[in-house]
Amino acid sequence: MVRDKSGQDWITIAKNKFRFPGGGTQFIHGADQYIDQISKMVPDIAFGERTRVVLDVGCGVASFGAYLMSRGVLTLSIAPEDVHGNQIQFALERGVPAMVAAFATRRLLYPSQAFDLIHCSRCGVDWTRDDGILLLELNRMLRAGGYFVWAEPPVYKHEVKLEEQWKVMVDLTSRLCWELVRKEGYLAIWRKPLNDICYLSRREGTRPPLCDADDDPDNLWYVDLKACMSRLPENGYGANVSTWPQRLNNPPDRLQTINIDAYISRKELYKADSRYGDEIVETYARVMHWKKLKFRNVMDMRAGFGGIAAALINQKFDCWVMNVVPVSGPNTLPVIYDRGLVGVMHDWCEPFDTYPRTYDLLHASGLFSVEKSRCDVASIMLEMDRILRPGGFAYIHDSVTVIHKLQEIGNAMGWKVKLQDTSEGPHASYKLLVSEKRLKQKRH
C-alpha cells in the first residue's frame, strides 16, 4: 500500500513505523484542509455540534475519520476487504472506529437515522445502479436533515460519460427529495429533508415509492435491501436530537420506541443503565487503575443504551467504544446513535466483522447468561480471543454458575484470569472475571 499510494500521502514509513500524513485520493492536500472546505461550503454542518456521528464509506486508511476526532466528531469508517492491504485493519491500528462492511444485497447493521453525515470520497459504490437501491439504503441510515458528501469524478470532470452519470445522480436525489445544497470543486453536498412532506407531494407513480407503513427501518439482521424510501416518523423522532455534547446524557425521544418487556418505564431503564455505566467505570478506574492501561479500542459486547461508553466519555477516557447490541435482546441502537455514540447489531453465535487482534478491551455484562441457551459459550470466548490484542483485557460480569465455566475456558486459552467479587460482596450471585491476554502464550 505504501508503494501503491505513494503519490496521495495515504501512508508512509518512517524507520520502523507507519505514518499517516492525512492524504487521500480526493484530498491530496490533507484531510484537515478538506474538512475545512466542507465546513466553509455548508457552515450548518457544524462539525462537533450539529454533526457528531459520521459514516465514511470506502474509507481508505480512515484519515477522514481520524482528523475529525479533534473536532468532536465520531466517525465510523467502513470498507469491504479489498486489494489495498486490509484498510480497516490499518484504521483500527490507528485507534479509529472501523468495521468491515459493504453495500451489497442486505441492510447494513446500523439503525435508521443513525448518521448526521455520510461521506463518500472515491468509495467505489455505484449509487444509481438498480434504480438507486444502494442510495436508498444510505437514505435509510442518514438522519433527517443530515448531509451526504460526495467526492467523485462525475462531480467535477467534464467528460460525456461522467456528465451523464452526474445527471442520473441529480435526477435520483431529487426524487428522494434531497436538496443539492452546494457543488464546488471536487465536492457535492446534499441535505435530506426533515419530514415526509416532500415525499407525499410527489406526482403519483414517482419512483422510488415510500416503504409500506408497516416496514420497520430498524429491522436489520439478514434483511434484504428494499427498493423503497424509509418513512420518517411524523412526530419528528430522530430529527430533533440535541447538539453535542448535550445529546450524550439527554434521554432521546426515540427511547420511547424501543420494544422492551419491562414493568418500569423506558426512561427509568435508561437512567439505570447510565448509573450502572458510571459506577462500573468509576470502580474500574479506582480499583483496577484503568487510567494506566492506556486502552483505545473498546468493545461493549452487550451495550444496553450505551451507558459504559457514555461514562468513559464523561470521565475523560481517551478511547472510543463499539457498542454491540445482540440480536437476542431489544434493539437499542437508535438510542445509542441519538446519544452521539456508534454501535452495531450482532449475533454472538457468529463471528464479528473485524480483523484479529484489533481491540484493547472487551466488556461483557450478563452476555453469557443470555446467550448460553443459543450459542456455545466456548465459541464466544474463542471469538473474544481472536478480537483481543495481546496484552489486552476482557472484563466479564456474569452469574457464578457461568463465570466458573468461563474461568476454565480462559485458563485453557492461555489467558491470565482472576475471579473477583463485585461490590455486592463474596456471597453475591454475580462475579467479575478479569482476564488478560498474554503477549506470549505459555508452552506446555
Side-chain angles (χ1 to χ4, degrees):
M1 185 189 286
V2 175
R3 182 179 62 253
D4 292 344
K5 297 295 181 180
S6 60
Q8 298 172 11
D9 266 352
W10 274 32
I11 180 173
T12 61
I13 294 178
K15 295 183 179 179
N16 63 341
K17 292 185 178 180
F18 291 115
R19 296 183 64 84
F20 301 90
T25 306
Q26 289 297 124
F27 40 97
I28 57 176
H29 299 298
D32 265 333
Q33 183 175 323
Y34 179 77
I35 294 165
D36 286 341
Q37 182 185 357
I38 294 171
S39 298
K40 289 174 184 175
M41 287 174 65
V42 185
D44 283 348
I45 287 176
F47 286 120
E49 295 176 10
R50 292 181 184 175
T51 298
R52 160 63 181 173
V53 186
V54 169
L55 181 68
D56 187 14
V57 183
C59 60
V61 292
S63 287
F64 183 68
Y67 279 78
L68 276 171
M69 279 183 173
S70 63
R71 304 180 189 227
V73 176
L74 190 60
T75 304
L76 180 59
S77 301
I78 64 169
E81 296 181 77
D82 75 340
V83 297
H84 286 323
N86 304 337
Q87 48 193 315
I88 293 301
Q89 190 169 18
F90 272 109
L92 288 164
E93 289 290 343
R94 299 179 73 179
V96 178
M99 279 193 71
V100 177
F103 284 83
T105 60
R106 292 191 176 119
R107 282 179 172 174
L108 273 69
L109 300 175
Y110 315 115
S112 64
Q113 298 197 73
F115 301 100
D116 308 316
L117 182 146
I118 299 179
H119 173 254
C120 161
S121 173
R122 290 290 187 100
C123 63
V125 179
D126 182 358
W127 297 113
T128 59
R129 75 166 176 84
D130 298 331
D131 297 321
I133 195 166
L134 300 183
L135 199 67
L136 289 169
E137 171 63 358
L138 186 151
N139 182 71
R140 180 188 70 82
M141 297 185 296
L142 184 60
R143 192 175 299 280
Y147 295 90
F148 176 52
V149 178
W150 197 43
E152 293 277 0
V155 175
Y156 60 89
K157 285 193 174 180
H158 302 290
E159 300 172 10
V160 174
K161 184 179 179 180
L162 294 174
E163 287 180 341
E164 185 59 34
Q165 290 175 7
W166 170 254
K167 289 178 183 178
V168 173
M169 185 69 166
V170 169
D171 174 63
L172 175 59
T173 52
S174 65
R175 286 185 277 119
L176 295 184
C177 290
W178 288 8
E179 176 192 1
L180 179 57
V181 182
R182 195 77 184 271
K183 178 174 179 277
E184 180 182 296
Y186 295 120
L187 291 165
I189 303 177
W190 284 269
R191 188 172 189 247
K192 180 178 174 177
L194 287 164
N195 51 51
D196 284 343
I197 292 174
C198 171
Y199 302 148
L200 297 171
S201 64
R202 297 181 309 166
R203 286 189 302 177
E204 188 176 349
T206 300
R207 300 192 65 83
L210 279 177
C211 294
D212 294 337
D214 61 355
D215 175 67
D216 181 2
D218 295 317
N219 183 20
L220 306 175
W221 194 249
Y222 286 108
V223 175
D224 290 339
L225 295 181
K226 299 189 177 183
C228 58
M229 291 187 295
S230 297
R231 294 172 180 261
L232 292 171
E234 293 181 4
N235 52 23
Y237 284 6
N240 48 7
V241 293
S242 308
T243 56
W244 182 261
Q246 287 75 24
R247 65 191 274 188
L248 177 65
N249 298 308
N250 290 346
D253 291 334
R254 284 204 286 180
L255 176 63
Q256 303 307 318
T257 69
I258 307 301
N259 186 17
I260 296 179
D261 185 15
Y263 291 106
I264 63 174
S265 73
R266 292 172 179 83
K267 189 167 283 189
E268 288 304 312
L269 286 172
Y270 175 92
K271 289 179 180 177
D273 184 72
S274 295
R275 283 196 301 271
Y276 173 77
D278 289 338
E279 290 169 5
I280 285 289
V281 172
E282 191 277 328
T283 299
Y284 289 171
R286 176 172 45 83
V287 177
M288 300 177 192
H289 311 292
W290 265 19
K291 291 279 187 182
K292 294 182 180 179
L293 295 182
K294 295 182 180 179
F295 50 78
R296 175 65 189 166
N297 300 353
V298 179
M299 180 184 291
D300 191 351
M301 299 175 65
R302 184 170 175 253
F305 293 115
I308 298 273
L312 285 166
I313 293 172
N314 287 329
Q315 296 184 38
K316 310 299 183 186
F317 281 84
D318 184 18
C319 64
W320 66 274
V321 179
M322 178 60 73
N323 293 282
V324 181
V325 173
V327 297
S328 55
N331 181 6
T332 55
L333 280 173
V335 172
I336 287 169
Y337 277 88
D338 285 358
R339 298 186 76 175
L341 307 170
V342 295
V344 66
M345 181 171 283
H346 183 61
D347 186 345
W348 284 112
C349 298
E350 301 184 11
F352 189 82
D353 284 331
T354 192
Y355 285 91
R357 303 176 297 279
T358 45
Y359 281 83
D360 307 310
L361 189 147
L362 305 179
H363 182 268
S365 179
L367 175 71
F368 289 89
S369 291
V370 172
E371 302 291 17
K372 65 181 181 180
S373 61
R374 303 177 57 250
C375 319
D376 177 9
V377 295
S379 296
I380 300 177
M381 288 285 282
L382 286 168
E383 178 63 358
M384 292 172 70
D385 184 68
R386 185 187 73 87
I387 293 170
L388 195 61
R389 283 200 180 105
F393 288 83
Y395 284 70
I396 304 172
H397 181 246
D398 224 307
S399 67
V400 171
T401 53
V402 172
I403 215 81
H404 285 298
K405 184 175 182 179
L406 301 181
Q407 185 179 20
E408 292 177 7
I409 297 170
N411 279 320
M413 294 192 306
W415 286 5
K416 180 181 178 182
V417 298
K418 185 178 181 181
L419 194 60
Q420 296 191 335
D421 295 329
T422 66
S423 58
E424 297 170 337
H427 303 295
S429 57
Y430 277 74
K431 297 282 186 184
L432 175 66
L433 186 68
V434 179
S435 305
E436 180 182 0
K437 182 177 178 179
R438 291 186 172 98
L439 288 167
K440 291 184 178 180
Q441 298 288 348
K442 285 185 176 180
R443 293 187 178 183
H444 297 284

